[in-house]
Every structure is written in C-alpha cells, then in structure tokens.
Amino acid sequence: MRIYGDLVSGNCLKVKWTCDHLRLAYEWVDIDIMQSESRTPVFLAKNPFGQVPVVAFDDGRHLAQSNAIVLYLADGSDLVPADPFLRAKVLEWMFWEQYSHEPYVAVCRFQMKYQGKRADERDPDKVARGVNALETLENALADQPFLVGSELSAADIALVAYTRVAEEGGFDLSGFPHVRSWIGNCDTVLKLSE
Amino acid sequence: MRIYGDLVSGNCLKVKWTCDHLRLAYEWVDIDIMQSESRTPVFLAKNPFGQVPVVAFDDGRHLAQSNAIVLYLADGSDLVPADPFLRAKVLEWMFWEQYSHEPYVAVCRFQMKYQGKRADERDPDKVARGVNALETLENALADQPFLVGSELSAADIALVAYTRVAEEGGFDLSGFPHVRSWIGNCDTVLKLSE
C-alpha cells in the first residue's frame, strides 16, 4: 500500500496515524501541495478529486478522502465500534469534521502557517465558525475522555488532526480545558509526542 | 422514529428518500430553518450541532449529520454495498459531497432561492467550485449509470439531493449530459417524480 500525502496536511496525518496505530505496512510518497503536485495529470489519474491523501493498494485500486480511507483501513479494528449506533456516532463526528471544523480551523491555520497571513487578516466569519467548532468539542468532551465511548476511535483521529494545531491558526485553546485534556489523551494513545 | 427536518433542505430530503425507499416508518417533524427553529434550546438538546436533519429513535437516542443518518438507516440494505472496498467508495463520495459539493452548489441555491440573490450576486469562488464539482460528477458518470457499481447507492442519494436542483442555484446543467441522465436514473429508482 502506498500513501500519497503531505505531512503538513492534517488530513494526510490522519491516514498515517491510523496505519501506525494499527501497524499496517505502507510506503509514504511525498506530494508537495504547496507546489501543486496534487494537480498534475499523473496524480489526477490516481485521484480525480485532485486532493491528498490518496491511497494506492497493491492491486492498483485507489481510495481518496481522508475519513473514508481511515474508516476503510480501520474497519474491524478497535478504532471503529462494533455496535452499529456507536459506529454511526463516529460517522456523525467525521462528517461534522469535514463540514463544520476543517474548513475553518484548518483553513485559518493554512493561511497563517503557510501563506503568511497575520491572525488579524483571517476571515472573521471563518474565525467565528472555528471558535464555534471548538466550543462544540469542549461541550462534548466535558464528561468523557474521547468523542465516542470510552476509547479512542476514528472520530478522535479525524478531529484531533487539526485541533491539536489550532493555535497555529490563531485559535487560543487556553479557554478549552477539556479539549486540551482530550488532545493529551489522543497523543498518549497514538504516541504522537514520541 | 422521528425525523426533524425542513423539506427545503436537500440534506433532510436524503433521509426522507432513504426511509421511503427502504419502507422505514417515520414521523416527520417540520423544523423551519428560515425561522431558526434549529437553534432553539429544545432543538439544541436533540442536536448540539444546531443543524437539521436529526433523527430521534424510539429509545430516546439521537443521530445527526445527513450522511451519517443515511448510512446508519441503510446499513445492510441494497443502498450500501456489502463489499468493503465498494462501501469505502460510497463513503469517499459522501465525504466529498460534504466538503466539495454541498458548500458550493447548495449554498448558491440557498442564496438565490431563499435569500433573493441574483445569479450575478453569487460569490465567484463558490460558483467556480460548484462548476468544478459538477465537472467531477460528469466525468465519473460518463461510463456508468450510478456513482458506485451498477445500482443506486447511498452515494447517489447524497449527491443527487442538491445536484437535481443545481439550476435553482444558477448552475446550467445543459452542458452536463451524463449528470442529467444520472439524475433521471436516481429519480426513477427513488420515484421522486411521482
């Protein structure tokens, strides 16, 4: 299995972390998104969406969309609950992540860290929606160590990818103690600080 | 089962169509999003995300996020392939829908149909990204009647909800013949024109 990705992208890290946690063998192929390497004809043949990550399996098939890849690779593992309703709650968080979290938290971070914007140059609407996403996480994590059930799941991998670097996008996490504890919980299980 | 939704929302229609297709019994509870009924404290207790649709099951549990609901209700049916890789391709399309299609095609339609904007008042970036999404669909549907495999799946339900009303958002579908054929295929199976 080959993972085409860029380590600056939280979406790509989700796939890497899932493989590392589940001890799945893979070859990592660097795609420099800052140089538009995800837009070349060769890459577009692998992923018509023109986005990273994309995974190429040994039989020649490809799969894109970080959260779809994570769920496929983690199917049957401890990252995806066997109970159908809990599995649906994992999906609920993962769809929410792509619609209501990533477009604000990750985009602000991209603009500041890679495009050189200052915090006060960010789009105020994106900032407000990013704060709102962090508040939703803070409330959800007030009484539990992970987003779904008592163990780390694919939902945590999807959400922690950009939340743990939210401060690079100008979001102050000091007012979100439950979010910070949860980031620590995820880091411990995924061994991200080693 | 109760579905809280607004029939002007394609995200809500996805859930309704899934139930109707699978002959699942439900009670429909109208939530007027134009009157912010999805933001009241009573509604937020059901869905902290403050969005429709949300489904309340008879045991008191709730599930939000249209695509998570569709996949949960359709689990084990002909709408979700049994083959793990094809199931992953269904998810790939559904995550793409929420990130790269709905925020452009649905939002332009909302602004024109419900907020009174003219086509030339739409955000040019949203228009360009909406056209790009339609082109991605057109290419994918050039050689096949549905998005994944030879039968209608949850991916088609997710994508057709706003694509079939894209012209209400100022998108001209005349240059997308495969998309128009596919909308017809979906309408036939889901009996949307009856």
Side-chain angles (χ1 to χ4, degrees):
Chain A
M1 173 170 71
R2 274 196 301 276
I3 303 172
Y4 295 85
D6 189 323
L7 291 174
V8 311
S9 153
N11 286 325
C12 297
L13 290 174
K14 295 176 194 174
V15 177
K16 183 179 188 306
W17 294 342
T18 300
C19 289
D20 291 342
H21 181 71
L22 298 176
R23 300 175 190 227
L24 303 176
Y26 61 88
E27 177 191 351
W28 182 272
V29 182
D30 266 317
I31 298 292
D32 189 340
I33 53 178
M34 303 302 289
Q35 301 295 326
S36 299
E37 288 182 5
S38 59
R39 289 289 177 176
T40 65
V42 171
F43 186 85
L44 287 170
K46 295 183 182 63
N47 179 6
F49 302 137
Q51 298 160 334
V52 286
V54 59
V55 168
F57 297 98
D58 295 343
D59 61 8
R61 298 192 293 187
H62 295 91
L63 186 63
Q65 298 294 317
S66 60
N67 288 351
I69 298 169
V70 167
L71 287 165
Y72 178 66
L73 296 176
D75 197 23
S77 80
D78 59 355
L79 294 177
V80 180
D83 175 78
F85 186 75
L86 291 182
R87 202 162 61 230
K89 298 302 274 187
V90 167
L91 284 169
E92 181 188 63
W93 276 114
M94 294 174 85
F95 281 109
W96 178 80
E97 188 260 345
Q98 286 289 289
Y99 195 79
S100 299
H101 183 289
E102 207 269 11
Y104 311 117
V105 176
V107 169
C108 286
R109 178 223 181 203
F110 185 81
Q111 291 176 343
M112 286 184 65
K113 190 173 169 84
Y114 299 105
Q115 296 185 320
K117 277 196 182 180
R118 295 190 314 268
D120 62 1
E121 292 176 318
R122 296 173 301 165
D123 175 351
D125 181 61
K126 281 192 174 35
V127 174
R129 289 172 188 258
V131 170
N132 190 51
L134 295 171
E135 288 170 348
T136 298
L137 286 174
E138 180 72 7
N139 291 335
L141 292 161
D143 301 315
Q144 53 192 72
F146 295 105
L147 288 169
V148 179
S150 56
E151 305 292 334
L152 180 116
S153 75
D156 300 292
I157 290 179
L159 263 308
V160 84
Y162 287 108
T163 306
R164 72 194 291 275
V165 290
E167 298 202 329
E168 295 177 358
F171 296 98
D172 179 3
L173 291 183
S174 64
F176 298 92
H178 300 301
V179 168
R180 285 186 286 119
S181 295
W182 163 75
I183 292 171
N185 297 340
C186 294
D187 278 11
T188 300
V189 178
L190 295 171
K191 302 183 177 66
L192 299 184
S193 302
E194 289 182 7
Chain B
M1 174 170 68
R2 275 195 302 275
I3 303 171
Y4 295 84
D6 189 324
L7 292 173
V8 312
S9 153
N11 286 325
C12 296
L13 289 174
K14 295 175 195 174
V15 177
K16 184 181 188 304
W17 295 342
T18 300
C19 289
D20 292 342
H21 181 70
L22 298 176
R23 300 178 190 227
L24 303 176
Y26 62 89
E27 177 192 350
W28 182 273
V29 183
D30 266 317
I31 298 292
D32 189 339
I33 53 178
M34 302 301 288
Q35 300 295 327
S36 300
E37 288 182 6
S38 58
R39 290 288 176 178
T40 64
V42 172
F43 186 84
L44 287 169
K46 294 182 181 65
N47 179 6
F49 302 138
Q51 297 161 334
V52 286
V54 59
V55 168
F57 297 98
D58 295 341
D59 61 6
R61 298 193 292 187
H62 295 92
L63 186 64
Q65 298 293 318
S66 59
N67 289 352
I69 298 169
V70 167
L71 287 165
Y72 178 67
L73 295 176
D75 197 24
S77 80
D78 58 356
L79 293 177
V80 181
D83 175 77
F85 186 75
L86 291 182
R87 201 162 61 233
K89 297 303 273 187
V90 167
L91 283 170
E92 181 188 63
W93 277 114
M94 294 174 86
F95 281 109
W96 178 80
E97 188 260 344
Q98 285 289 289
Y99 194 80
S100 299
H101 182 289
E102 207 268 10
Y104 311 116
V105 176
V107 169
C108 286
R109 179 221 181 206
F110 185 80
Q111 292 175 344
M112 285 185 66
K113 190 173 169 84
Y114 299 105
Q115 296 184 319
K117 276 196 182 179
R118 295 190 315 268
D120 61 2
E121 292 174 320
R122 296 171 301 165
D123 175 352
D125 181 61
K126 282 192 174 34
V127 174
R129 288 171 188 258
V131 170
N132 190 52
L134 294 171
E135 287 169 351
T136 299
L137 286 174
E138 180 73 7
N139 291 334
L141 292 162
D143 301 315
Q144 54 192 73
F146 295 105
L147 288 169
V148 179
S150 57
E151 305 292 335
L152 179 116
S153 75
D156 300 291
I157 290 179
L159 264 310
V160 84
Y162 287 108
T163 306
R164 72 194 292 273
V165 291
E167 299 203 327
E168 296 176 358
F171 296 99
D172 179 3
L173 292 183
S174 64
F176 298 91
H178 300 302
V179 168
R180 285 186 287 118
S181 293
W182 163 75
I183 292 171
N185 297 341
C186 294
D187 278 10
T188 300
V189 177
L190 296 171
K191 303 185 177 65
L192 299 185
S193 303
E194 288 182 6

